Amino acid sequence: MELNSKVPAGPLAGKWDKHKFDVKLVNPANKRKYEVIVVGAGLAGASAAATLSELGYRVKCFVYHDSPRRAHSIAAQGGINAAKNYQNDGDSIHRLFYDTIKGGDFRAREANVYRLAQNSVSIIDQAVAQGVPFAREYGGLLSNRSFGGAQVSRTFYARGQTGQQLLLGAYAQLEKEIARGGVEMFNQYEMLDLVVVDGHARGIVARNLVTGAIETYAAHAVLLATGGYGNVFYLSTNAKHSNATAIWRAYKRGAAFGNPCYTQIHPTCIPVSGDHQSKLTLMSESLRNDGRVWVPKKQGDKRAPGQIPEDERDYYLERRYPSFGNLAPRDISSRSAKYVCDEGRGVGDTGLGVYLDFSDAIKRLGKKTIAERYGNLFEMYQRITDEDPYEVPMRIYPAVHYTMGGLWVDYNLMSTVPGCFVLGEANFSDHGANRLGASALMQGLSDGYFVIPYTIGDYLAGLKPQPVDAAAPEFRAAADETRARLQKLLSIKGKRTPTSFHRQLGKIMWDKCGMARNRAGLAEAITEIRALREEFWTNVNVIGEVGSLSQQLEIAARVADFIELGELMCRDALHREESCGGHFREEYQTEDGEALRNDDAFAYVAAWEYAGDQAEPRLHKEPLEYENVKLSTRSYK
Amino acid sequence: MQLVRNFWQSQIGKKVVMAVTGLILVGFVVGHMVGNLQVFQSAAKLNAYGYFLKHTVGGALWAVRGVLLASVILHVVAAVQLTRQKQAARPSGQGYQKYEPQISTFASRTIRWGGFLLLAFIVFHILHFTTLTIYPDYSPTDVYNNVVKGFQIPWVTAFYVLAMGALALHLFHGAWSSLRTLGLSRPAARPTARPIVTALAGLVALGFAVVPLAVFFGAVQPAAPEQGIPAEALEASALQQSAGAPAGASTTAPTSTLAGH
Amino acid sequence: MKITLHVWRQAGPKAAGKLETYTLGHVSPDMSFLEMFDVLNEELVEAGKEPVAFSHDCREGICGSCAMMINGAAHGPMKGTATCQLHMRSFKDGDEIWVEPWRARAFPILKDLVVDRSALDRIIQAGGYISANTGGARDANEILIPKPDADSAMDAAACIGCGACVAACPNASASLFTAAKISHLGHLPQGQPERFRRVLTMVEQMDIEGFGHCTLYGECQEACPKLISIDTISRMNRDYLKATLTKRPEPTVEYAG
């Protein structure tokens, strides 16, 4: 396998323009002769499907939801970054590019990130044209806020529902194209395999989740926009059904997996309340603007927070990072919370939580101001925990939130399987080892609205405008394999539920491949996951049948893939002997406990190639060359 | 034409028809109610008012009646068709085993049954006081004494009062929702708070119901016949009666005696 | 807590369904309503029984997947809350809870508590969008939108498409859903060019799908997890009326040659 990033030559700022001119175009009359499959209808999938249909391609779009409006992009709260510089505070495309590269701890591809920053500007224009109700000032201009510790105000937002509004904008365009006949929509279909013919992606195997029918669909290109794989950890802020099956199946068909160990753990989530916990809920990071994070100084101090006097509290972020304090970046805040809890100073029944205290802010600004800023978040918190954050400090704990890793793609967003493109969180491309706040929405929409419409043409123009042979034996073979795999799951009839395996996998991953990792732990994790996989395939109890709506079967098939992916994540984490961004290896830290990067040995993308179920995957390296930024060490002291 | 058909076929179109006809009928009942209250002034006043409507307004009265009749028909036809649609939208047998209304008013939930009760009442009322079909011995001109006679019968009074209760509920929901259906109302934070409509429904129902109750409990007493009607009109009507309805005279007497008790 | 559940079970779209009774002995008040269903399903699977199928995904009250009629109220007893954000502390030890699917002809039941809500998508397809193909947009700040208009648009745009309005409505009407989209786009300058065309086509589709009419009961507003107001329905009706009165036949295109 050869990794060719296909980054155009020339100065950084001109690469994308040059590339847009260099790519081949498809004759407008021929566009309707090309079929494109889009899997997923989140920000990346919906925007790509709608835009490709507008261009004239025939699109088939598959989602496991009952409507394309339900993808998990909808849950993004904070906002979307764009280098508009509407606030006249010194923002620019170059600054957004630099912040993103630096925030990613210098593990992302320069050219991709620059293009992302360029496209950010058009995204806002496009979204407004669609009717996305971004927040406005009284004069009618767009409002911005600063987010996630950025030095400029470049985040556009629609209350706390920015993801929802952007997704509904893309969804509306998708529905428009469905009505026009350009997109054929397949709701409640789950992609279960990628069909590769002569080395090119030529279709998918999908299961109709209502009837259970296993069906195959052929196309000239397949776009995977299926989101991240944070649910490997069982508990995450992802939606319950978010899964890795589409990208994992593509991986097993030859698409390399880039940087699987890069996981973002968000510091401000509502802590686990008990064994029944099914998912975690994020509280917007903006809370840290006014809340102070603390734990008791004494171990096992079970007094109520109000009973703990000021001098017995440890405001550990303010203590360790005097200049950034409570606004320290996500990875640092998360790790610090883990350390104090590991020391036995965590709060709440489980001891896995820290306080986020607004009492000083309420004293200083008044309850009314705090209510105006965070009213809806406080209400959400109270609904879930039954505690009033105006009276008692919130309890928060980190949770898995985003996966920077994903299928490896070149500058055209094409994976190592020609014809298989990967968009949004499902690819590895733009965030390096850590993603900045309000950048996920930006990437999904950039890929879908403004990158793939150009780059897919370059690939399709090389194909004859003739229908894909849907009768090729590869289609039937892939469908048979899928059916056999599902039948196998049903036939085991063991003693444990699929969810119990998922929970166990999650615990292994969280303990050993979570916020802090080490060599011994990762090696153990690999052994444990292998054993878990063994047990899963001999002792899982799946109730249902292939040929009907069977939610347990859906879960089981996803868990089977999560188990395999979990192992790859540990393997990648084990091999990367440095700390960077969301990947913190305990062996590689400075004296005061900060991440220690090793640019000489690890300034590359780790792309893993599948080599068989029992064989170890093969590692390929795409070196990261920085021509425009100087690699530096992040410091938030 | 196509436009009219599309409009009628759409549920909003039908609702608009119901709202417009409903508001016409609201206007009518308010006027009717105010007219009725003249019974408390004097027999002459009320009879003169009846005479004024019939003779001075004359032909225009038929135009008004035409509009009212058309309104009632459209209102009822639209209501029946919408009810059928609603039943199809959640067929019986596919409904909830357990359903708890959260905020909808009793008035809104009973609007269809109340409507049918009102329809039955209107028919009865027209037969009772307009065409005089139920009690043909009533005088076509002596409105006052007809009213008094009518409401001395307990079940008639009871029926009228019950119907006015239904009217209050119908107005409380109908008048309010008509304006909303037409998009004329201002946005409201709490749709259950509707002071103006509450007052309207209460006053109209009370204004109507007070007449039968007043008669029944003796606050309004029979008066000398045919007060307030011009003499020539009486003569004309007497001529008509003797010529056209010989049986009429014989039934008049017993009813009058009955009413005298 | 001990909870007795009466849950609608239906094997498939055509099958007859009925309420089945289950008892859960150890329900924590901190559980969400759906987590209680997770526990029930784990118990059913362990006993070798078919678990209850139900729709859910984000469990943060925003994706609109979850849909349960709980004790006769759409999304249960708590106002402004989707089923997934309802917690068991809203119930008492020993409570009996009835759980049914959304019921409407336009929402056929697929299995147990799962219904097909694609009718709502088709209403959007009928015109619930601004035709803005990618690429032609002008600078976002060239369109000035007064803050109150942007706020009103956002209030209506908060709809999550869960269908609770239909479920709660005694007429099974989708008026609130349709009106929310019409209001969202109608409040914005970008939405004006298609405003009156949109309302005609969306309302027509709402009829075609077999939803009932609006009697302004107000049940939809009460059930809506995003508290969308029935004022939007007034707005929709007003636009519909205006659209009907001002509609001109669309010119038929004649091709030369």
Side-chain angles (χ1 to χ4, degrees), chain A residues 237-428:
Chain A
T237 65
N238 284 4
K240 275 303 280 178
H241 298 318
S242 295
N243 69 82
T245 290
I247 55 172
W248 191 249
R249 293 288 133 196
Y251 164 77
K252 291 185 125 180
R253 295 284 177 190
F257 208 116
N259 298 331
C261 78
Y262 290 162
T263 322
Q264 182 166 77
I265 297 183
H266 196 289
T268 54
C269 297
I270 298 175
V272 174
S273 68
D275 291 338
H276 54 262
Q277 193 88 25
S278 61
K279 76 152 280 168
L280 296 168
T281 303
L282 180 83
M283 301 297 292
S284 171
E285 202 166 11
S286 59
L287 290 169
R288 289 198 284 145
N289 289 336
D290 285 307
R292 297 179 72 195
V293 177
W294 65 275
V295 289
K297 281 186 177 161
K298 268 194 305 210
Q299 284 183 9
D301 191 341
K302 288 289 164 199
R303 285 177 291 175
Q307 307 291 314
I308 302 176
E310 196 63 25
D311 62 348
E312 290 181 42
R313 299 176 176 190
D314 179 13
Y315 294 91
Y316 58 89
L317 283 177
E318 296 171 19
R319 175 171 57 80
R320 290 184 57 183
Y321 306 95
S323 69
F324 271 70
N326 295 300
L327 290 172
R330 288 179 178 177
D331 49 343
I332 289 173
S333 310
S334 295
R335 217 155 38 235
S336 308
K338 174 184 158 58
Y339 287 148
V340 295
C341 292
D342 287 351
E343 288 164 15
R345 299 194 286 145
V347 300
D349 291 342
T350 58
L352 294 175
V354 299
Y355 289 126
L356 180 62
D357 197 337
F358 289 86
S359 52
D360 285 352
I362 291 172
K363 255 180 244 151
R364 183 166 35 107
L365 303 164
K367 191 173 166 177
K368 189 162 168 278
T369 310
I370 294 298
E372 272 169 18
R373 287 187 191 167
Y374 310 111
N376 57 343
L377 292 168
F378 278 29
E379 200 187 293
M380 181 165 92
Y381 179 85
Q382 185 163 15
R383 191 173 315 178
I384 294 173
T385 63
D386 203 25
E387 288 175 359
D388 180 1
Y390 295 103
E391 302 298 326
V392 291
M394 277 187 182
R395 287 174 297 112
I396 54 165
Y397 198 64
V400 174
H401 175 56
Y402 188 88
T403 49
M404 282 72 71
L407 291 184
W408 183 92
V409 289
D410 63 15
Y411 192 67
N412 292 326
L413 303 182
M414 190 155 82
S415 70
T416 52
V417 177
C420 175
F421 294 80
V422 191
L423 286 70
E425 190 180 348
N427 73 27
F428 88 106

Side-chain angles (χ1 to χ4, degrees), chain A residues 89 181 268 456 477:
Chain A
D89 56 359
T268 54
I456 201 172

Side-chain angles (χ1 to χ4, degrees), chain B residues 10-11 89-90 99 104 173 183, chain C residues 103 105 168-169 207 215 219:
Chain B
S10 89
Q11 31 175 277
R90 185 179 291 133
Y99 177 82
S104 54
H173 186 71
Chain C
R103 291 188 187 277
R105 189 174 57 134
C169 177
D207 289 344
T215 304
E219 292 289 346

Side-chain angles (χ1 to χ4, degrees), chain A residues 66-67 70 187-188 210, chain C residues 55 102 104-111 113-122 211:
Chain A
D66 66 348
S67 162
R70 309 208 194 279
N187 291 330
Q188 309 203 51
V210 177
Chain C
S55 299
W102 289 169
R105 189 174 57 134
F107 288 171
I109 296 177
L110 298 177
K111 185 174 184 176
L113 303 173
V114 180
V115 299
D116 177 1
R117 286 169 287 189
S118 51
L120 299 182
D121 282 336
R122 289 190 291 274
F211 291 105

Side-chain angles (χ1 to χ4, degrees), chain B residues 39 63 69 81 91 96 102 132-133 162 173 186 200 227 243 258:
Chain B
V39 79
L69 187 67
Q81 292 187 350
Y96 294 107
Q102 302 294 306
L132 310 179
T133 314
L162 174 75
H173 186 71
R186 286 154 52 93
L200 174 81
Q227 289 186 47
L258 191 88

Side-chain angles (χ1 to χ4, degrees), chain A residues 234 240 276-279 499 503 552, chain C residues 32-44 54 56 59:
Chain A
Y234 184 67
K240 275 303 280 178
H276 54 262
Q277 193 88 25
S278 61
K279 76 152 280 168
T499 304
R503 248 196 211 108
Q552 288 290 313
Chain C
S32 74
F33 200 79
L34 296 185
E35 281 167 349
M36 178 195 61
F37 263 80
D38 291 342
V39 171
L40 169 66
N41 276 350
E42 289 288 285
E43 285 185 8
L44 288 173
F54 62 98
H56 64 103
R59 300 202 177 189

